[in-house]
Amino acid sequence: VQLQASGGGLVQPGGSLRLSCGSSGGSGVTSTIGWFRQVPGKEREFVAATRRGDGRKYYADSVRGRFTISRDNTENTAYLQMDSLKPEDTAVYYCAATPRTLIQSSVRWERHYDYWGQGTLVTVSS
C-alpha cells in the first residue's frame, strides 16, 4: 500500500490550500485516514482524521474551524482543506492510514497508523 500526499506550496497568511492523499490500496486499508504535520526539530503532531464507516471527523484544537478533512471513497482519496492559514501552520504534512477503525482516543497517535505518505511541504509566509 502506498500513500501519495500532494498539494503543498507557498501561500500567504489568510490564504487556503487543499492537500490530497491518494491510496494505491483497496478501500479496506483506509478505514481511518489521518493527517499529521511536522516542523523541523519538533515532533510530528496530529492535525485531523476521518473514519470510513460513520464518517466521523476529528481535529486538533489548533486547526478546528479552519481545516476540513474529507474523503472520496470511490477514488480512495482523502483531502485536507486548509483555510485561514497562519504562519504557524508551516510544516511538512503527512497523510496516514490504517485498516482499523480507530476510536477517538487513538486517532491522534502515530503508532496506530500502518501506512504513511511521503509528506508535502506547506509554507505560510508573506
Side-chain angles (χ1 to χ4, degrees):
V1 176
Q2 291 186 331
L3 300 179
Q4 180 74 31
S6 61
L10 173 64
V11 63
Q12 293 187 342
S16 298
L17 278 177
R18 188 176 82 155
L19 306 183
S20 299
C21 177
S23 170
S24 65
S27 60
V29 301
T30 56
S31 180
T32 305
I33 293 178
W35 285 96
F36 291 76
R37 66 186 182 186
Q38 187 171 26
V39 175
K42 294 187 176 181
E43 293 185 354
R44 192 153 49 185
E45 66 175 6
F46 169 76
V47 176
T50 181
R51 306 194 311 196
R52 174 186 300 277
D54 56 12
R56 290 197 66 175
K57 302 176 182 181
Y58 306 91
Y59 297 96
D61 290 343
S62 58
V63 307
R64 186 176 290 111
R66 300 188 298 120
F67 291 11
T68 303
I69 189 171
S70 62
R71 63 190 299 163
D72 182 338
N73 291 327
T74 61
E75 296 186 355
N76 272 339
T77 302
Y79 303 96
L80 185 68
Q81 176 67 41
M82 306 185 295
D83 299 317
S84 302
L85 282 161
K86 305 175 181 180
E88 51 264 43
D89 294 318
T90 295
V92 177
Y93 285 71
Y94 299 88
C95 62
T98 175
R100 292 168 289 167
T101 301
L102 299 181
I103 60 176
Q104 183 174 358
S105 61
S106 298
V107 295
R108 61 187 65 248
W109 300 108
E110 295 180 50
R111 64 179 180 271
H112 294 298
Y113 292 85
D114 300 287
Y115 309 107
W116 289 83
Q118 83 290 358
T120 184
L121 176 62
V122 172
T123 303
V124 185
S125 176
S126 56

Coordinates of all heavy atoms in Angstrom, one line a residue, residues 23-117:
S23 N -4.4 6.7 -2.3 CA -4.0 5.4 -1.8 C -4.0 4.4 -3.0 O -4.9 4.4 -3.8 CB -5.0 4.9 -0.7 OG -4.7 3.6 -0.4
S24 N -3.0 3.6 -3.0 CA -2.9 2.6 -4.0 C -3.6 1.3 -3.6 O -3.8 0.4 -4.4 CB -1.4 2.3 -4.4 OG -0.8 1.7 -3.2
G25 N -3.9 1.2 -2.3 CA -4.5 0.0 -1.8 C -6.0 0.1 -2.0 O -6.6 1.1 -2.4
G26 N -6.7 -1.0 -1.6 CA -8.1 -1.0 -1.7 C -8.8 -0.3 -0.6 O -8.1 0.2 0.3
S27 N -10.1 -0.2 -0.6 CA -10.8 0.6 0.4 C -10.6 0.0 1.8 O -10.7 0.8 2.8 CB -12.3 0.7 0.1 OG -12.8 -0.6 0.0
G28 N -10.3 -1.2 1.9 CA -10.2 -1.8 3.2 C -9.0 -1.4 4.0 O -9.0 -1.5 5.2
V29 N -8.0 -0.8 3.3 CA -6.8 -0.4 4.1 C -6.8 1.0 4.6 O -5.9 1.5 5.2 CB -5.5 -0.6 3.2 CG1 -5.4 -2.0 2.8 CG2 -5.5 0.3 2.0
T30 N -7.9 1.7 4.2 CA -8.0 3.1 4.6 C -9.3 3.4 5.4 O -9.9 4.4 5.2 CB -8.0 4.0 3.4 OG1 -9.1 3.6 2.5 CG2 -6.7 3.9 2.6
S31 N -9.5 2.5 6.3 CA -10.7 2.7 7.2 C -10.6 4.0 7.9 O -11.5 4.8 8.0 CB -10.8 1.5 8.2 OG -12.0 1.7 9.0
T32 N -9.4 4.3 8.5 CA -9.1 5.6 9.1 C -8.0 6.2 8.4 O -7.0 5.6 8.2 CB -8.8 5.4 10.6 OG1 -9.8 4.7 11.3 CG2 -8.6 6.8 11.3
I33 N -8.2 7.5 8.0 CA -7.2 8.3 7.4 C -6.9 9.5 8.3 O -7.8 10.1 8.8 CB -7.6 8.7 6.0 CG1 -7.7 7.5 5.1 CG2 -6.6 9.7 5.5 CD1 -8.1 7.9 3.7
G34 N -5.6 9.8 8.5 CA -5.2 10.9 9.3 C -4.2 11.8 8.6 O -3.5 11.4 7.7
W35 N -4.2 13.0 9.0 CA -3.2 14.0 8.6 C -2.4 14.4 9.8 O -3.0 14.7 10.9 CB -3.8 15.2 8.0 CG -4.4 15.0 6.6 CD1 -5.7 14.7 6.2 CD2 -3.7 15.1 5.4 NE1 -5.8 14.6 4.9 CE2 -4.6 14.8 4.3 CE3 -2.3 15.3 5.0 CZ2 -4.2 14.8 3.0 CZ3 -2.0 15.3 3.7 CH2 -2.9 15.0 2.7
F36 N -1.1 14.4 9.6 CA -0.2 14.9 10.7 C 0.8 15.9 10.0 O 0.8 16.0 8.8 CB 0.7 13.7 11.2 CG -0.1 12.7 12.0 CD1 -0.9 11.8 11.4 CD2 0.0 12.6 13.4 CE1 -1.7 10.8 12.1 CE2 -0.7 11.7 14.1 CZ -1.5 10.8 13.5
R37 N 1.5 16.7 10.9 CA 2.4 17.6 10.4 C 3.6 17.7 11.3 O 3.5 17.4 12.5 CB 1.8 19.0 10.2 CG 1.4 19.7 11.5 CD 0.6 21.0 11.2 NE 0.2 21.7 12.5 CZ -0.5 22.8 12.5 NH1 -1.0 23.3 11.4 NH2 -0.8 23.3 13.7
Q38 N 4.7 18.1 10.7 CA 6.0 18.2 11.4 C 6.8 19.4 11.0 O 7.0 19.6 9.8 CB 6.8 16.9 11.2 CG 8.0 16.8 12.1 CD 8.7 15.4 12.1 OE1 8.5 14.7 11.1 NE2 9.3 15.1 13.1
V39 N 7.3 20.1 12.0 CA 8.2 21.2 11.8 C 9.6 20.7 12.2 O 9.7 20.0 13.2 CB 7.8 22.4 12.7 CG1 8.8 23.5 12.6 CG2 6.4 22.9 12.4
P40 N 10.6 21.1 11.4 CA 12.0 20.6 11.8 C 12.3 20.9 13.2 O 12.1 22.0 13.7 CB 12.8 21.4 10.8 CG 12.0 21.7 9.6 CD 10.6 21.9 10.2
G41 N 12.8 19.8 13.9 CA 13.2 20.0 15.3 C 12.1 19.7 16.3 O 12.4 19.7 17.5
K42 N 10.9 19.5 15.7 CA 9.8 19.2 16.6 C 9.2 17.8 16.3 O 9.4 17.3 15.2 CB 8.7 20.3 16.5 CG 9.2 21.6 17.0 CD 8.0 22.6 17.1 CE 8.5 24.0 17.6 NZ 7.3 24.9 17.7
E43 N 8.4 17.3 17.2 CA 7.7 16.0 17.0 C 6.6 16.2 16.0 O 6.0 17.3 15.9 CB 7.2 15.5 18.3 CG 8.3 15.1 19.3 CD 7.8 14.4 20.5 OE1 6.5 14.3 20.7 OE2 8.6 13.9 21.3
R44 N 6.3 15.2 15.3 CA 5.1 15.2 14.4 C 3.9 15.3 15.2 O 3.7 14.6 16.3 CB 5.2 13.9 13.5 CG 4.2 14.0 12.4 CD 4.7 13.1 11.2 NE 5.0 11.8 11.6 CZ 5.5 10.9 10.7 NH1 5.8 11.2 9.5 NH2 5.8 9.7 11.1
E45 N 2.9 16.1 14.8 CA 1.7 16.3 15.6 C 0.5 16.0 14.7 O 0.4 16.1 13.5 CB 1.6 17.7 16.1 CG 1.5 18.8 15.1 CD 1.3 20.1 15.7 OE1 1.3 20.3 16.9 OE2 1.0 21.1 14.9
F46 N -0.6 15.6 15.4 CA -1.8 15.2 14.8 C -2.5 16.5 14.3 O -2.5 17.5 15.0 CB -2.7 14.5 15.8 CG -4.1 14.3 15.4 CD1 -4.5 13.4 14.5 CD2 -5.1 15.1 15.9 CE1 -5.8 13.2 14.1 CE2 -6.5 15.0 15.6 CZ -6.8 14.0 14.6
V47 N -3.2 16.4 13.1 CA -3.9 17.5 12.6 C -5.4 17.2 12.5 O -6.3 17.9 13.0 CB -3.4 17.9 11.2 CG1 -4.3 19.0 10.6 CG2 -1.9 18.3 11.3
A48 N -5.7 16.1 11.8 CA -7.1 15.7 11.6 C -7.2 14.2 11.2 O -6.2 13.6 10.7 CB -7.8 16.6 10.5
A49 N -8.4 13.6 11.4 CA -8.6 12.3 11.0 C -10.1 12.0 10.6 O -10.9 12.8 11.1 CB -8.2 11.3 12.0
T50 N -10.3 11.0 9.8 CA -11.7 10.7 9.5 C -11.8 9.2 9.4 O -10.9 8.5 9.0 CB -12.1 11.4 8.2 OG1 -13.5 11.0 7.9 CG2 -11.3 10.9 7.0
R51 N -13.0 8.7 9.7 CA -13.3 7.3 9.6 C -14.2 7.0 8.5 O -15.2 7.7 8.3 CB -13.9 6.8 11.0 CG -13.1 7.1 12.2 CD -13.5 6.4 13.4 NE -14.9 6.4 13.7 CZ -15.3 6.1 14.9 NH1 -14.5 5.7 15.9 NH2 -16.6 6.1 15.2
R52 N -14.1 5.8 7.9 CA -14.9 5.5 6.7 C -16.3 5.2 7.1 O -17.3 5.7 6.6 CB -14.3 4.3 6.0 CG -15.2 3.8 4.8 CD -14.6 2.5 4.3 NE -13.3 2.7 3.7 CZ -13.1 3.2 2.5 NH1 -14.1 3.6 1.7 NH2 -11.9 3.4 2.1
G53 N -16.5 4.3 8.1 CA -17.8 3.7 8.3 C -18.9 4.8 8.7 O -19.9 4.9 8.1
D54 N -18.6 5.6 9.7 CA -19.6 6.5 10.2 C -19.2 8.0 9.8 O -20.0 8.9 10.1 CB -19.7 6.4 11.7 CG -18.4 6.6 12.5 OD1 -17.4 7.1 11.8 OD2 -18.4 6.4 13.7
G55 N -18.1 8.1 9.1 CA -17.8 9.4 8.6 C -17.3 10.4 9.7 O -17.2 11.6 9.4
R56 N -17.1 10.0 10.9 CA -16.7 10.9 12.0 C -15.4 11.5 11.7 O -14.5 11.0 11.1 CB -16.6 10.1 13.3 CG -18.0 9.7 13.8 CD -17.9 9.3 15.3 NE -17.7 10.5 16.1 CZ -17.7 10.5 17.4 NH1 -17.9 9.4 18.1 NH2 -17.4 11.6 18.1
K57 N -15.3 12.8 12.1 CA -14.1 13.6 11.9 C -13.5 14.1 13.2 O -14.3 14.4 14.1 CB -14.4 14.7 10.9 CG -14.9 14.2 9.6 CD -15.3 15.4 8.7 CE -15.9 14.9 7.4 NZ -16.2 16.0 6.4
Y58 N -12.2 14.2 13.3 CA -11.5 14.6 14.5 C -10.5 15.7 14.1 O -9.9 15.6 13.0 CB -10.8 13.5 15.2 CG -11.8 12.3 15.5 CD1 -11.9 11.2 14.6 CD2 -12.5 12.3 16.6 CE1 -12.7 10.2 14.8 CE2 -13.3 11.2 16.9 CZ -13.5 10.2 16.0 OH -14.3 9.1 16.3
Y59 N -10.3 16.7 14.9 CA -9.4 17.8 14.6 C -8.6 18.1 15.9 O -9.1 18.0 17.0 CB -10.2 19.0 14.2 CG -10.9 18.8 12.9 CD1 -12.3 18.5 12.9 CD2 -10.3 19.0 11.7 CE1 -13.0 18.3 11.7 CE2 -11.0 18.8 10.5 CZ -12.3 18.5 10.5 OH -13.0 18.3 9.3
A60 N -7.4 18.6 15.6 CA -6.6 19.2 16.7 C -7.2 20.5 17.0 O -7.8 21.2 16.1 CB -5.1 19.3 16.2
D61 N -7.1 20.9 18.2 CA -7.6 22.2 18.6 C -7.1 23.4 17.8 O -7.8 24.3 17.5 CB -7.4 22.4 20.1 CG -8.2 21.5 21.0 OD1 -9.2 20.9 20.5 OD2 -7.8 21.4 22.2
S62 N -5.8 23.2 17.4 CA -5.1 24.3 16.7 C -5.7 24.6 15.3 O -5.4 25.6 14.7 CB -3.6 24.0 16.6 OG -3.4 22.8 16.0
V63 N -6.4 23.6 14.8 CA -6.9 23.8 13.4 C -8.4 23.7 13.3 O -9.0 24.0 12.2 CB -6.3 22.7 12.4 CG1 -4.8 22.7 12.5 CG2 -6.8 21.3 12.7
R64 N -9.1 23.3 14.4 CA -10.5 23.2 14.3 C -11.2 24.5 13.9 O -10.8 25.6 14.4 CB -11.1 22.7 15.7 CG -12.6 22.4 15.7 CD -13.0 21.9 17.0 NE -12.5 20.5 17.2 CZ -11.6 20.3 18.2 NH1 -11.1 21.2 18.9 NH2 -11.2 19.0 18.3
G65 N -12.1 24.4 13.0 CA -12.8 25.6 12.5 C -12.1 26.2 11.3 O -12.6 27.1 10.6
R66 N -10.8 25.8 11.0 CA -10.1 26.4 9.8 C -9.8 25.3 8.8 O -9.7 25.5 7.6 CB -8.8 27.0 10.3 CG -8.9 28.1 11.3 CD -7.5 28.8 11.5 NE -6.6 27.9 12.1 CZ -5.4 27.6 11.6 NH1 -5.1 28.1 10.4 NH2 -4.6 26.8 12.2
F67 N -9.6 24.1 9.3 CA -9.3 22.9 8.4 C -10.5 22.0 8.3 O -11.2 21.8 9.3 CB -8.1 22.1 8.9 CG -6.7 22.9 8.8 CD1 -6.6 24.2 8.5 CD2 -5.6 22.2 9.1 CE1 -5.4 24.9 8.5 CE2 -4.3 22.8 9.0 CZ -4.3 24.1 8.7
T68 N -10.6 21.4 7.2 CA -11.7 20.4 7.0 C -11.1 19.2 6.3 O -10.5 19.2 5.2 CB -12.8 21.0 6.1 OG1 -13.3 22.2 6.7 CG2 -14.0 20.0 6.0
I69 N -11.3 18.0 6.9 CA -10.9 16.8 6.3 C -12.1 16.1 5.7 O -13.2 16.2 6.1 CB -10.3 15.8 7.4 CG1 -9.7 14.6 6.7 CG2 -11.3 15.4 8.4 CD1 -8.8 13.7 7.7
S70 N -11.8 15.5 4.5 CA -12.9 14.8 3.8 C -12.3 13.7 3.0 O -11.1 13.5 2.9 CB -13.6 15.8 2.8 OG -12.7 16.3 1.8
R71 N -13.2 12.8 2.4 CA -12.6 11.7 1.7 C -13.6 11.4 0.6 O -14.8 11.6 0.7 CB -12.4 10.5 2.6 CG -13.6 10.0 3.2 CD -13.3 8.9 4.3 NE -12.5 7.8 3.7 CZ -11.8 6.9 4.5 NH1 -11.7 7.1 5.8 NH2 -11.2 5.9 3.9
D72 N -13.0 10.8 -0.5 CA -13.8 10.3 -1.6 C -13.6 8.8 -1.7 O -12.5 8.4 -2.2 CB -13.4 11.0 -2.9 CG -14.2 10.5 -4.1 OD1 -14.8 9.4 -4.1 OD2 -14.2 11.3 -5.1
N73 N -14.5 8.1 -1.2 CA -14.3 6.6 -1.0 C -14.2 5.9 -2.4 O -13.6 4.9 -2.5 CB -15.4 6.0 -0.2 CG -15.2 6.4 1.3 OD1 -14.1 6.6 1.8 ND2 -16.4 6.6 1.9
T74 N -14.8 6.5 -3.4 CA -14.8 5.8 -4.7 C -13.4 5.9 -5.3 O -13.0 5.1 -6.2 CB -15.8 6.4 -5.6 OG1 -15.6 7.8 -5.8 CG2 -17.2 6.3 -5.1
E75 N -12.7 7.0 -4.9 CA -11.4 7.2 -5.5 C -10.3 6.9 -4.5 O -9.1 7.1 -4.8 CB -11.2 8.6 -6.0 CG -12.2 8.9 -7.2 CD -11.9 10.2 -7.8 OE1 -11.1 11.0 -7.2 OE2 -12.5 10.6 -8.8
N76 N -10.6 6.4 -3.3 CA -9.6 6.2 -2.3 C -8.7 7.4 -2.1 O -7.5 7.2 -2.0 CB -8.8 4.9 -2.6 CG -9.4 3.7 -2.2 OD1 -10.2 3.6 -1.3 ND2 -9.0 2.6 -2.8
T77 N -9.3 8.5 -2.0 CA -8.6 9.7 -1.8 C -9.1 10.5 -0.6 O -10.3 10.6 -0.5 CB -8.6 10.6 -3.1 OG1 -8.1 9.9 -4.2 CG2 -7.8 11.9 -2.9
A78 N -8.2 11.1 0.2 CA -8.6 12.0 1.3 C -8.1 13.4 1.0 O -7.1 13.5 0.3 CB -8.1 11.4 2.6
Y79 N -8.8 14.3 1.6 CA -8.4 15.7 1.4 C -8.3 16.5 2.7 O -9.0 16.1 3.7 CB -9.4 16.4 0.5 CG -9.7 15.8 -0.8 CD1 -10.7 14.9 -1.0 CD2 -8.8 16.0 -1.9 CE1 -10.9 14.3 -2.2 CE2 -9.0 15.4 -3.1 CZ -10.1 14.5 -3.3 OH -10.3 13.9 -4.5
L80 N -7.5 17.5 2.7 CA -7.4 18.4 3.8 C -7.5 19.8 3.3 O -6.6 20.3 2.7 CB -6.1 18.2 4.6 CG -6.0 19.0 5.9 CD1 -7.0 18.5 6.9 CD2 -4.6 19.0 6.5
Q81 N -8.7 20.4 3.5 CA -8.9 21.8 3.0 C -8.4 22.7 4.2 O -8.9 22.6 5.3 CB -10.4 22.0 2.7 CG -10.7 23.4 2.4 CD -10.1 23.9 1.1 OE1 -10.1 23.1 0.1 NE2 -9.6 25.1 1.0
M82 N -7.5 23.5 3.9 CA -6.9 24.4 4.9 C -7.2 25.8 4.6 O -6.7 26.4 3.5 CB -5.4 24.2 5.0 CG -5.0 22.7 5.2 SD -3.2 22.5 5.4 CE -2.6 23.0 3.9
D83 N -8.0 26.5 5.4 CA -8.4 27.9 5.2 C -7.8 28.7 6.3 O -7.4 28.2 7.4 CB -9.9 28.0 5.2 CG -10.5 27.2 4.0 OD1 -10.0 27.3 2.9 OD2 -11.5 26.6 4.2
S84 N -7.8 30.0 6.1 CA -7.3 31.0 7.1 C -5.9 30.5 7.7 O -5.7 30.5 8.9 CB -8.3 31.1 8.3 OG -9.6 31.5 7.8
L85 N -5.1 30.2 6.8 CA -3.8 29.7 7.1 C -2.9 30.7 7.9 O -3.0 31.9 7.6 CB -3.0 29.2 5.9 CG -3.5 27.8 5.4 CD1 -3.0 27.6 4.0 CD2 -2.9 26.7 6.3
K86 N -2.2 30.2 8.8 CA -1.3 31.1 9.7 C 0.1 30.7 9.5 O 0.4 29.5 9.1 CB -1.7 30.9 11.1 CG -3.2 31.2 11.4 CD -3.5 30.9 12.9 CE -4.9 31.1 13.2 NZ -5.2 30.8 14.7
P87 N 1.1 31.6 9.8 CA 2.5 31.2 9.6 C 2.8 29.9 10.5 O 3.7 29.1 10.1 CB 3.2 32.4 10.1 CG 2.3 33.5 9.8 CD 0.9 33.0 10.0
E88 N 2.2 29.8 11.6 CA 2.5 28.6 12.4 C 1.9 27.3 11.9 O 2.2 26.2 12.4 CB 1.9 28.8 13.9 CG 0.5 29.2 13.9 CD 0.3 30.7 14.1 OE1 1.0 31.5 13.4 OE2 -0.6 31.2 14.9
D89 N 1.2 27.4 10.8 CA 0.8 26.1 10.1 C 1.9 25.6 9.2 O 1.7 24.5 8.6 CB -0.5 26.4 9.3 CG -1.7 26.7 10.1 OD1 -1.9 26.1 11.2 OD2 -2.5 27.6 9.7
T90 N 2.9 26.4 9.0 CA 4.0 25.9 8.1 C 4.6 24.6 8.7 O 5.0 24.5 9.8 CB 5.1 27.0 8.1 OG1 4.6 28.2 7.5 CG2 6.3 26.5 7.3
A91 N 4.7 23.6 7.8 CA 5.2 22.3 8.2 C 5.2 21.4 7.0 O 4.6 21.7 6.0 CB 4.3 21.7 9.3
V92 N 5.7 20.2 7.2 CA 5.6 19.1 6.2 C 4.3 18.3 6.7 O 4.3 17.9 7.9 CB 6.8 18.2 6.2 CG1 6.5 17.0 5.2 CG2 8.0 19.0 5.7
Y93 N 3.4 18.2 5.8 CA 2.2 17.5 6.1 C 2.2 16.1 5.6 O 2.6 15.8 4.4 CB 1.0 18.2 5.6 CG 0.6 19.5 6.3 CD1 1.4 20.6 6.3 CD2 -0.5 19.5 7.1 CE1 1.2 21.7 7.1 CE2 -0.8 20.6 7.9 CZ 0.0 21.7 7.8 OH -0.3 22.9 8.6
Y94 N 1.8 15.1 6.4 CA 1.8 13.7 6.1 C 0.4 13.1 6.2 O -0.3 13.5 7.2 CB 2.7 12.9 7.0 CG 4.2 13.3 7.0 CD1 4.7 14.3 7.8 CD2 5.1 12.7 6.2 CE1 6.0 14.7 7.8 CE2 6.4 13.0 6.2 CZ 6.9 14.0 7.0 OH 8.2 14.4 7.0
C95 N 0.1 12.3 5.3 CA -1.2 11.5 5.5 C -0.8 10.1 5.9 O 0.3 9.6 5.6 CB -2.0 11.5 4.2 SG -1.3 10.7 2.7
A96 N -1.7 9.5 6.6 CA -1.5 8.2 7.2 C -2.8 7.4 7.1 O -3.9 8.0 7.1 CB -1.0 8.2 8.6
A97 N -2.7 6.1 7.1 CA -3.9 5.3 7.0 C -3.8 4.0 7.8 O -2.6 3.5 8.0 CB -4.3 5.0 5.6
T98 N -4.9 3.4 8.1 CA -4.9 2.1 8.8 C -6.2 1.4 8.4 O -7.2 2.1 8.2 CB -4.8 2.2 10.3 OG1 -4.9 0.9 10.9 CG2 -5.8 3.1 10.9
P99 N -6.2 0.1 8.3 CA -7.4 -0.7 8.0 C -8.3 -0.7 9.2 O -9.5 -1.1 9.1 CB -7.0 -2.0 7.6 CG -5.6 -2.2 8.2 CD -5.0 -0.8 8.2
R100 N -7.9 -0.3 10.4 CA -8.7 -0.4 11.6 C -9.5 0.9 11.7 O -9.1 2.0 11.3 CB -7.7 -0.5 12.8 CG -7.1 -1.9 12.9 CD -6.0 -1.9 13.9 NE -4.9 -1.1 13.5 CZ -3.9 -0.7 14.3 NH1 -3.9 -1.1 15.5 NH2 -2.9 0.0 13.8
T101 N -10.6 0.8 12.3 CA -11.5 1.9 12.7 C -11.0 2.4 14.0 O -11.4 1.8 15.1 CB -13.0 1.5 12.7 OG1 -13.3 1.0 11.4 CG2 -13.8 2.7 13.0
L102 N -10.3 3.5 14.0 CA -9.7 4.0 15.3 C -10.8 4.7 16.1 O -11.6 5.4 15.5 CB -8.5 4.9 15.0 CG -7.3 4.2 14.3 CD1 -6.2 5.2 14.1 CD2 -6.8 3.0 15.0
I103 N -10.7 4.6 17.4 CA -11.5 5.3 18.3 C -10.9 6.7 18.5 O -9.8 7.0 18.2 CB -11.8 4.6 19.6 CG1 -10.5 4.3 20.3 CG2 -12.5 3.2 19.3 CD1 -10.6 3.6 21.7
Q104 N -11.7 7.5 19.1 CA -11.3 8.9 19.3 C -10.0 9.1 20.1 O -9.2 9.9 19.7 CB -12.4 9.7 20.0 CG -12.1 11.2 20.2 CD -13.3 12.0 20.8 OE1 -14.3 11.4 21.1 NE2 -13.1 13.2 21.0
S105 N -9.8 8.3 21.1 CA -8.6 8.4 21.9 C -7.3 7.9 21.1 O -6.2 8.1 21.6 CB -8.7 7.6 23.2 OG -9.0 6.2 22.9
S106 N -7.5 7.2 20.0 CA -6.4 6.6 19.3 C -6.0 7.4 18.0 O -4.9 7.3 17.5 CB -6.7 5.2 18.9 OG -6.9 4.4 20.0
V107 N -7.0 8.2 17.4 CA -6.7 8.7 16.1 C -5.5 9.7 16.1 O -4.9 9.9 15.0 CB -7.9 9.5 15.5 CG1 -9.1 8.5 15.3 CG2 -8.4 10.6 16.5
R108 N -5.2 10.3 17.2 CA -4.1 11.3 17.2 C -2.7 10.7 17.5 O -1.8 11.5 17.5 CB -4.4 12.4 18.2 CG -4.5 11.9 19.6 CD -5.0 13.1 20.5 NE -6.4 13.5 20.2 CZ -6.7 14.7 19.7 NH1 -5.7 15.5 19.4 NH2 -7.9 15.0 19.4
W109 N -2.6 9.4 17.6 CA -1.3 8.8 17.9 C -0.8 8.1 16.6 O -1.4 7.2 16.1 CB -1.4 7.8 19.0 CG -1.9 8.5 20.3 CD1 -3.1 8.4 20.9 CD2 -1.2 9.5 21.1 NE1 -3.2 9.2 22.0 CE2 -2.0 9.9 22.1 CE3 0.1 10.0 21.0 CZ2 -1.6 10.8 23.1 CZ3 0.5 10.9 21.9 CH2 -0.3 11.3 23.0
E110 N 0.5 8.4 16.3 CA 1.1 7.9 15.1 C 1.2 6.4 15.1 O 1.0 5.7 14.1 CB 2.5 8.4 15.0 CG 2.7 9.9 14.7 CD 4.2 10.2 14.7 OE1 4.9 9.6 13.9 OE2 4.6 11.2 15.3
R111 N 1.4 5.8 16.3 CA 1.6 4.3 16.3 C 0.4 3.5 15.9 O 0.6 2.3 15.6 CB 2.0 4.0 17.7 CG 0.9 4.2 18.8 CD 1.4 3.7 20.2 NE 0.4 3.9 21.2 CZ 0.3 5.0 21.9 NH1 1.1 6.1 21.7 NH2 -0.7 5.1 22.9
H112 N -0.8 4.1 15.8 CA -1.9 3.4 15.4 C -2.1 3.3 13.9 O -3.1 2.7 13.4 CB -3.2 4.0 16.0 CG -3.2 3.8 17.5 ND1 -3.2 2.6 18.1 CD2 -3.2 4.7 18.5 CE1 -3.2 2.7 19.4 NE2 -3.2 4.0 19.7
Y113 N -1.3 4.0 13.1 CA -1.4 4.0 11.7 C -0.4 3.1 11.0 O 0.8 3.0 11.5 CB -1.2 5.5 11.1 CG -2.3 6.4 11.6 CD1 -2.3 7.0 12.8 CD2 -3.4 6.6 10.7 CE1 -3.4 7.8 13.2 CE2 -4.5 7.4 11.1 CZ -4.4 8.0 12.3 OH -5.5 8.8 12.7
D114 N -0.7 2.4 10.0 CA 0.1 1.4 9.4 C 0.8 1.9 8.1 O 1.9 1.4 7.7 CB -0.7 0.2 9.0 CG -1.4 -0.4 10.3 OD1 -0.6 -1.0 11.1 OD2 -2.6 -0.3 10.4
Y115 N 0.2 2.9 7.5 CA 0.8 3.3 6.2 C 0.9 4.8 6.2 O 0.1 5.6 6.7 CB -0.1 2.9 5.0 CG -0.5 1.4 5.0 CD1 -1.8 1.0 5.4 CD2 0.5 0.5 4.7 CE1 -2.1 -0.3 5.5 CE2 0.1 -0.9 4.8 CZ -1.1 -1.2 5.1 OH -1.4 -2.6 5.2
W116 N 2.0 5.3 5.6 CA 2.3 6.7 5.6 C 2.7 7.2 4.2 O 3.4 6.5 3.5 CB 3.5 7.0 6.6 CG 3.1 6.9 8.0 CD1 3.0 5.7 8.7 CD2 2.7 7.9 8.9 NE1 2.6 6.0 10.0 CE2 2.4 7.3 10.1 CE3 2.5 9.3 8.7 CZ2 1.9 8.1 11.2 CZ3 2.1 10.0 9.8 CH2 1.8 9.4 11.0
G117 N 2.3 8.4 3.9 CA 2.7 9.1 2.7 C 4.1 9.8 2.9 O 4.6 9.8 4.0

